[in-house]
Amino acid sequence: MANIFAPTDPTVTEREKRHMDTARRIAAEGMVLLENSGVLPMAADGRALAVFGSGVRHMVKGGTGSGDVNSRTVINVEQGLEDAGFTIATKPWLDRYDSACTENGARYMAQFKAVLQEQGWAGVNFALENPYRDPDVPEITAEDMACTDKALALYVIARTSGEGADRKLTGGDYYLSDREMDNLRTLTAYYDHTVVILNVGGVIDTAFLRQQKGIDAILLMSQPGCAAGYALADVLTGKVNPSGRLTATWAERYEDYPFAADFSHLSGNLDDSYYREGIYVGYRWFDSFGIRPAYPFGFGRSYTDFALDVMQTRISGQSIRVTVAVGNTGGRPGRETVQVYVSQPQGRLDKPCQVLAGFAKTGLLQPGQQETVEVTFAIPSLASYDEARAAYVLEQGVYFVRVGTHSRSTRIAAALELNEEVVTWQLRNKAVCDCAMDVARADPARFYTYPAEAAEKIAAPRLKIIPATISTHTAEYGAEAPLLHTEKTDTITLADVAAGRATLEELTAQLTVAEMAELTVGTERGGLGSVSTVGAASRSVPGAAGDTSTVLSESRGITNLVLADGPAGLRLSKVFVSDGQGNVIPGLGESSFGNLFELMGIPAAQRPENAVDHYQYCTAIPIATMLAQTWDMAAIASAGDLVGAEMEALGVDIWLAPGMNIHRNPLCGRNFEYYSEDPLLTGLCAAADTRGVQRHRGRGTAIKHFACNNQEDNRTHNNAHCTERALREIYLKGFEIAVKTAQPLTLMTSYNLVNGVHAANHRELLTDILRCEWGFTGLVMTDWGTTDPGQGQCKYGCSDAALCIRAGNDLTMPGAQADVERIAAAVGHELTLAELQACALRVLTLALLRYNAEK
């Protein structure tokens, strides 16, 4: 019998109302105004408003797959506008599109049903690899526009993506469809002004939008969660002044991205990815190779204007402090984000044109009001990784500090002079590239520049960095795990440990190999191909992704931990049913994956007379990219706090979020789950999210996917070939920041290989770098099904449960009996008893934390 937390009253709770308001506030802060000729903000003045596009009623609140959230209510664009007082005069067109979507959805579900009935639960992967897409929009006719006011039209473009498949360079995905462009031509010819709203989770091509005369505003609505329509109306009407800023570079052309033709399916090779751009990702590439973007990193417009005045740049110990006065010089209240970049000197190591070093967002400034902000960053954070020396080094030369509001608006504020090289961290190379690979190297002659730059360098205040003030650290790599033992013969329980009568080490020492093998594998024992484990393998919180083992529940009082998907909120079944004894009845209610039992032809269980309905309505917060677009760490922490409160209410222990892989290429199907192309911003956002969740005792995050999960096609078996410098400076850096500043309770490894070794089996990543270098003290788990051999033939095979333990990957999820048997059989051969004990101890540490939180 499960310990059920979900309430039995279907009434909307005060928690839901509060959380909806929080999601609305954050979403409005994360919208980015890309263009505006003055047509926005707009007034709800009773005119018959023309609203068209795929995202009006069929708005996308977030992506598909594990990033989805089953909210009670989702406010779409039409609802949000009507609530704000607008009259929508284009309902017949919207009705036509509804009919097309219904027909298209029925065809898709028939196909999905056939796959499920042929393949069973394994057929769920069909939906991941071939996600449903709404059809193209209908034509806009003269009749559709006849009853509308000619002053203004809104056109909402929606896109969706998700895990299991990368996006395509086709119309209706990265590009506009022919029909979308034709419709916009029609609108711009008829209406005085046209506003385009982008309901997209990632970058799309904007060439047509920027060139089409009559498109007077472009607003990146993003994918704002369940309060989306309300938040959009707040921004369109000026109730909230848009202050979101881009966290990825939007290119003029897709081909402008680094090695664009080599990404995922475009390369013709899904087995191997070659990270030939090295450290030149995102704005580092565009700025260093002199490529003009459509919209630069950090960019965003406002309904008001701001002026920045750099008041002082000073050295304080090992830190640089930049003080900036920000004044609102326009006519509306608003917020601005001050961004500080640094150009490092060129030496033995090539450097990008500039890198983000820090940022600060103002409060709400009234017209004429000024606020002074201080941006602080550590001097050692400017060090580069030298593979030849296996060290982070600050090379000798001048470091130019730049201040602006996006990467193409920076101006030089100070010059930091370092007269000798300083080693900040002495390490060992732990993730060496497994193949010979030509890696991009920038030529400073191609760096982005502007007419006043040379004069600014000469005039900049000079500050001397004293080498002796910069600390040098040397990493210490641990010895083999110690063998745990105890002289105690009485059975030690978790209650004994909590009471101080024994230690966790002593409890672990009493466990048998069989018990520890069970403990380090999730509770699901069927394997991915035989039961519903994809995103729904929890036995106590229906719809959650999985549980830890209950093998020691009766003998030691160690109950299971519940792990639920994210990162846009908790992904649980909305409604489930239990019998009078508290046993959950499968197939009844409304699961997190919809009506799978019905589609598979499995008869629904009979509803007993004593059945009880339980409700798990969760809040869909804005997607991770949109959270990052706020550039507001307090707002992101409040989103984490919201999720943590729902975890407490519904009995979830670990949130499988935040996702924090780098936006290496805009076609990655899962970019919406990740924050940014920049590792500093990524790490700080993940830390803020984590702090919000972990305010709730016993609840934690699982930062993921460690590492290089930068494509979805063949994500389970793709080998990422990457230099150690690029790994450490770009793809691992965000994780390092999150670990060192927020200490998340858990971390999830990725499916892919990193330089020839599956991430889940990569001891150098998980033990040497993560634990020894960074000081991570939490638990490491696999992604779901990484050890499953039944995923088809592939070049590199799957990861190994015993090698997970050897690497320091403590928990294999969702778990199969074969994993348990493999681990147990490996002890004394490929695996030491001490290594298994170390992993079991970390699982028990989490269990103790949850136990203490409940007392």
Side-chain angles (χ1 to χ4, degrees):
M1 182 177 72
N3 183 18
I4 297 176
F5 291 79
T8 57
D9 183 353
T11 306
V12 177
T13 65
E14 289 303 313
R15 168 180 57 80
E16 289 179 83
K17 295 176 184 177
R18 289 195 311 273
H19 288 183
M20 176 74 88
D21 288 343
T22 299
R24 175 179 183 170
R25 173 179 56 80
I26 297 170
E29 293 285 346
M31 293 186 188
V32 182
L33 185 63
L34 298 176
E35 302 287 356
N36 188 25
S37 66
V39 66
L40 294 179
M42 53 191 280
D45 53 12
R47 288 182 291 181
L49 186 63
V51 185
F52 297 98
S54 56
V56 180
R57 289 180 180 167
H58 298 266
M59 183 209 70
V60 182
K61 74 178 189 303
T64 62
S66 63
D68 196 9
V69 177
N70 300 299
S71 300
R72 181 197 296 262
T73 303
V74 177
I75 305 301
N76 67 25
V77 171
E78 180 181 34
Q79 293 168 315
L81 290 172
E82 289 182 334
D83 181 77
F86 291 97
T87 299
I88 309 299
T90 49
K91 290 183 181 289
W93 186 92
L94 298 173
D95 291 341
R96 290 210 307 278
Y97 189 50
D98 284 346
S99 297
C101 290
T102 299
E103 294 175 7
N104 193 60
R107 287 192 294 270
Y108 178 86
M109 293 308 292
Q111 184 182 12
F112 186 28
K113 180 178 180 179
V115 172
L116 284 172
Q117 294 187 349
E118 176 185 348
Q119 300 181 16
W121 289 111
V124 172
N125 283 323
F126 172 86
L128 295 176
E129 296 169 1
N130 304 276
Y132 172 75
R133 298 286 185 265
D134 282 327
D136 205 356
V137 288
E139 178 186 7
I140 297 174
T141 66
E143 184 179 356
D144 294 320
M145 300 183 292
C147 295
T148 65
D149 187 275
K150 291 189 63 175
L152 180 81
L154 303 181
Y155 195 81
V156 186
I157 297 171
R159 296 288 187 268
T160 189
S161 63
E163 65 174 315
D166 287 317
R167 296 173 58 201
K168 301 295 190 290
L169 283 177
T170 57
D173 193 342
Y174 185 80
Y175 295 110
L176 300 187
S177 69
D178 290 341
R179 177 60 58 75
E180 286 173 327
M181 289 187 284
D182 286 343
N183 280 346
L184 284 167
R185 292 187 186 101
T186 298
L187 295 181
T188 53
Y190 184 84
Y191 293 96
D192 297 337
H193 304 286
T194 299
V195 175
V196 173
I197 298 166
L198 302 179
N199 174 213
V200 301
V203 177
I204 67 169
D205 183 74
T206 60
F208 177 87
L209 303 178
R210 288 178 283 111
Q211 294 163 9
Q212 179 65 22
K213 186 177 180 181
I215 294 179
D216 296 299
I218 304 173
L219 176 66
L220 175 58
M221 173 190 181
S222 191
Q223 293 172 344
C226 58
Y230 291 152
L232 176 64
D234 289 342
V235 171
L236 289 176
T237 60
K239 182 178 179 180
V240 175
N241 191 338
S243 64
R245 302 294 181 258
L246 294 179
T247 65
T249 304
W250 288 47
E252 289 270 8
R253 309 174 308 142
Y254 171 75
E255 292 76 15
D256 290 340
Y257 289 103
F259 300 95
D262 292 349
F263 180 74
S264 188
H265 52 270
L266 299 179
S267 71
N269 177 9
L270 290 179
D271 293 318
D272 298 274
S273 294
Y274 298 94
Y275 287 46
R276 292 192 289 147
E277 69 278 6
I279 61 172
Y280 297 101
V281 178
Y283 68 89
R284 288 167 167 81
W285 169 268
F286 285 84
D287 293 349
S288 302
F289 288 82
I291 302 169
R292 186 179 71 177
Y295 300 109
F297 174 82
F299 176 82
R301 300 184 190 276
S302 173
Y303 296 153
T304 191
D305 298 304
F306 298 94
L308 272 57
D309 179 19
V310 181
M311 300 175 67
Q312 183 185 49
T313 302
R314 62 190 178 93
I315 297 176
S316 176
Q318 295 190 69
S319 296
I320 303 297
R321 298 182 182 274
V322 183
T323 305
V324 182
V326 184
N328 183 346
T329 60
R332 287 179 170 271
R335 303 180 70 188
E336 181 60 284
T337 298
V338 176
Q339 301 169 32
V340 176
Y341 298 76
V342 173
S343 295
Q344 304 146 298
Q346 303 297 314
R348 288 180 297 103
L349 303 174
D350 58 310
K351 316 290 196 313
C353 174
Q354 59 181 349
V355 297
L356 182 68
F359 55 89
K361 190 168 186 177
T362 70
L364 186 66
L365 299 180
Q366 299 298 321
Q369 187 178 3
Q370 187 177 89
E371 179 181 339
T372 299
V373 300
E374 184 173 81
V375 179
T376 302
F377 58 91
I379 296 172
S381 70
L382 305 178
S384 303
Y385 190 74
D386 185 349
E387 293 179 5
R389 297 183 59 174
Y392 277 102
V393 297
L394 289 165
E395 289 200 281
Q396 177 181 350
V398 179
Y399 294 73
F400 288 104
V401 178
R402 301 173 180 266
V403 178
T405 56
H406 59 77
S407 66
R408 288 296 176 97
S409 73
T410 61
R411 295 296 180 262
I412 295 172
L416 311 176
E417 297 179 342
L418 180 64
N419 60 15
E420 64 181 68
E421 183 174 279
V422 177
V423 173
T424 61
W425 270 98
Q426 184 59 60
L427 308 171
R428 298 178 196 167
N429 288 330
K430 292 293 182 179
V432 178
C433 190
D434 62 336
C435 66
M437 183 170 59
D438 291 330
V439 179
R441 185 182 178 102
D443 179 356
R446 298 180 63 184
F447 282 6
Y448 164 72
T449 187
Y450 49 91
E453 183 178 30
E456 289 176 1
K457 287 182 177 180
I458 295 171
R462 318 294 279 193
L463 304 174
K464 291 189 179 297
I465 300 174
I466 308 302
T469 64
I470 307 300
S471 301
T472 298
H473 303 274
T474 301
E476 296 183 6
Y477 299 94
E480 293 295 316
L483 184 66
L484 303 178
H485 60 86
T486 181
E487 302 297 326
K488 294 182 178 179
T489 56
D490 292 341
T491 299
I492 300 172
T493 67
L494 201 62
D496 292 328
V497 176
R501 294 186 292 269
T503 66
L504 270 184
E505 288 78 8
E506 289 174 320
L507 192 162
T508 306
Q510 285 190 345
L511 302 182
T512 66
V513 167
E515 287 174 325
M516 288 188 288
E518 290 271 359
L519 195 63
T520 55
V521 175
T523 53
E524 192 49 67
R525 291 291 179 266
L528 284 177
S530 58
V531 290
S532 174
T533 59
V534 182
S538 173
R539 298 177 187 273
S540 57
V541 180
D547 296 346
T548 59
S549 177
T550 58
V551 67
L552 300 177
S553 178
E554 292 186 9
S555 63
R556 307 266 181 181
I558 300 168
T559 56
N560 63 292
L561 300 168
V562 177
L563 295 72
D565 268 327
L570 297 180
R571 185 173 177 277
L572 305 175
S573 298
K574 288 183 181 179
V575 183
F576 67 92
V577 179
S578 70
D579 61 21
Q581 288 73 47
N583 300 301
V584 176
I585 305 172
L588 297 183
E590 187 177 350
S591 80
S592 60
F593 261 103
N595 59 335
L596 280 180
F597 281 85
E598 177 186 340
L599 291 173
M600 294 177 65
I602 299 174
Q606 291 295 315
R607 183 182 175 91
E609 292 183 2
N610 60 354
V612 179
D613 293 307
H614 301 267
Y615 303 91
Q616 297 184 128
Y617 294 115
C618 300
T619 305
I621 61 176
I623 59 171
T625 302
M626 191 176 197
L627 290 179
Q629 285 170 186
T630 68
W631 291 69
D632 185 336
M633 299 305 105
I636 297 172
S638 70
D641 188 24
L642 179 160
V643 174
E646 295 187 354
M647 293 168 71
E648 279 194 273
L650 300 174
V652 174
D653 301 293
I654 299 296
W655 185 38
L656 302 178
M660 49 186 307
N661 294 106
I662 294 296
H663 292 193
R664 177 177 176 241
N665 182 285
L667 297 186
C668 175
R670 219 166 173 179
N671 273 352
F672 71 96
E673 292 193 42
Y674 309 141
Y675 296 112
S676 175
E677 67 189 22
D678 181 76
L680 172 67
L681 183 57
T682 292
L684 294 176
C685 289
D689 236 342
T690 293
R691 282 191 290 270
V693 170
Q694 295 184 179
R695 288 172 185 166
H696 300 267
R697 194 172 177 218
R699 317 295 160 173
T701 61
I703 58 175
K704 65 182 186 183
H705 308 85
F706 194 69
C708 293
N709 190 159
N710 301 113
Q711 76 176 55
E712 287 300 299
D713 288 345
N714 193 34
R715 61 177 175 157
T716 54
H717 302 98
N718 179 267
N719 187 6
H721 306 278
C722 186
T723 66
E724 182 148 4
R725 183 183 179 191
L727 273 170
R728 288 186 178 272
E729 291 190 22
I730 304 296
Y731 300 101
L732 302 184
K733 182 59 68 175
F735 289 97
E736 180 182 0
I737 292 168
V739 165
K740 288 182 174 180
T741 62
Q743 200 57 252
L745 291 188
T746 71
L747 173 145
M748 182 192 291
T749 52
S750 55
Y751 288 119
N752 54 277
L753 297 86
V754 179
N755 288 328
V757 181
H758 277 281
N761 296 159
H762 208 306
R763 183 177 177 85
E764 290 183 313
L765 277 180
L766 304 184
T767 295
D768 294 342
I769 293 178
L770 178 63
R771 297 191 188 280
C772 296
E773 292 182 11
W774 301 351
F776 181 68
T777 59
L779 175 143
V780 176
M781 70 182 78
T782 69
D783 205 338
W784 265 230
T786 186
T787 60
D788 180 34
Q791 297 186 30
Q793 297 297 316
C794 53
K795 180 177 178 180
Y796 291 110
C798 59
S799 60
D800 181 282
L803 297 183
C804 284
I805 301 297
R806 178 85 178 93
N809 192 329
D810 310 299
L811 186 61
T812 298
M813 293 300 295
Q817 187 59 35
D819 295 326
V820 177
E821 295 169 0
R822 171 74 178 107
I823 292 169
V827 175
H829 306 286
E830 301 151 275
L831 189 62
T832 68
L833 176 61
E835 288 168 337
L836 180 56
Q837 286 178 329
C839 291
L841 177 62
R842 287 190 281 265
V843 176
L844 293 175
T845 299
L846 268 191
L848 178 62
L849 182 66
R850 204 279 293 274
Y851 180 92
N852 287 332
E854 292 180 342
K855 297 303 177 184

